């Protein structure tokens, strides 16, 4: 998606260790007009797929997922990070390896909000090694929900997540796919 690629080139900052900082428009300050254009693109791509719920993961996917839910006119659920392992209640739970913090954390979704009738679009800001998306797929499987596909804002395509998850059969629509980037700001996209 050209608009997103241009914004990344203009405002993105490449940090050490393959981290792209996009906090001026995507995951700290949020450009919701851009989010709407992204959501409309996913709506176009997933038209007639019968998506009836958006599922994302705390925290940086939530803003994008909310605008996406507005466009799809359906509810949005986010998987919550939790430190409490023996929390009481009816939840689905899985573990996710954090890309940015290099730790493992538990995520949960209440059984009330995910179930066999759900046809899900998984939404997140980044795809790197695929742990976040994979965790969302685990939770969906536990709930008996059907994952129709994923909508990713920025896929770092030189990292393995996209390939691994597509090999598992997941449809992934990434709006900007970075083929390579380096710290002096040079970046190439896959068109
Ligand atoms: P994965 O689980 O695919 O390895 O990484 C995806 C998650 O890590 C996303 O939810 C995102 O929050 C974070 N992430 C991965 N790469 C980057 C990056 O380059 N920049 C930022 N800001 N977050 C990233």
């Amino acid at each position: 998606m050209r608009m997103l690629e241009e914004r990344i080139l203009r405002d993105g900052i490449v940090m050490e260790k393959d981290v792209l900082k996009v906090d001026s428009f995507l995951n700290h300050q949020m450009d919701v007009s851009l989010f709407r254009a992204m959501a409309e693109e996913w709506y176009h791509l997933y038209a007639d797929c019968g998506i009836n719920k958006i599922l994302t993961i705390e925290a940086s996917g939530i803003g994008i997922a909310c605008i996406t839910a507005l466009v799809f006119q359906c509810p949005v659920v986010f998987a919550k990070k939790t430190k409490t392992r023996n929390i009481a209640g009816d939840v689905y739970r899985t573990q996710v390896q954090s890309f940015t913090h290099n730790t493992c954390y538990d995520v949960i979704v209440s059984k009330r909000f995910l179930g066999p009738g759900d046809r899900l679009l998984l939404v997140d800001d980044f795809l790197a090694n695929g742990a976040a998306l994979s965790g969302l797929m685990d939770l969906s499987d536990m709930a008996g929900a059907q994952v129709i596909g994923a909508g990713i804002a920025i896929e770092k395509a030189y990292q393995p997540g996209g390939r691994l998850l597509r090999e598992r059969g997941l449809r992934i629509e990434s709006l900007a796919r970075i083929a390579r980037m380096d710290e002096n700001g040079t970046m190439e996209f896959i068109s």
Side-chain angles (χ1 to χ4, degrees), residues 122-144:
L122 311 180
V123 167
D124 206 2
D125 57 346
F126 276 93
L127 173 57
N129 293 326
L133 263 191
S134 192
L136 292 179
M137 287 171 77
D138 290 346
L139 295 171
S140 308
D141 284 350
M142 288 175 210

Side-chain angles (χ1 to χ4, degrees), residues 18-20 27 60 99-100 124-132 156:
D18 288 328
V19 176
L20 176 64
N27 52 23
S60 52
F99 179 83
T100 35
D124 206 2
D125 57 346
F126 276 93
L127 173 57
N129 293 326
K156 290 178 289 175

Side-chain angles (χ1 to χ4, degrees), residues 8 11 19 63 77 88 98 120 133 135 140 156 163 166-167 173:
I8 294 167
D11 294 332
V19 176
V77 176
S98 165
L120 303 173
L133 263 191
S140 308
K156 290 178 289 175
R163 181 180 52 77
R166 287 183 180 99
E167 279 172 8
E173 298 291 353

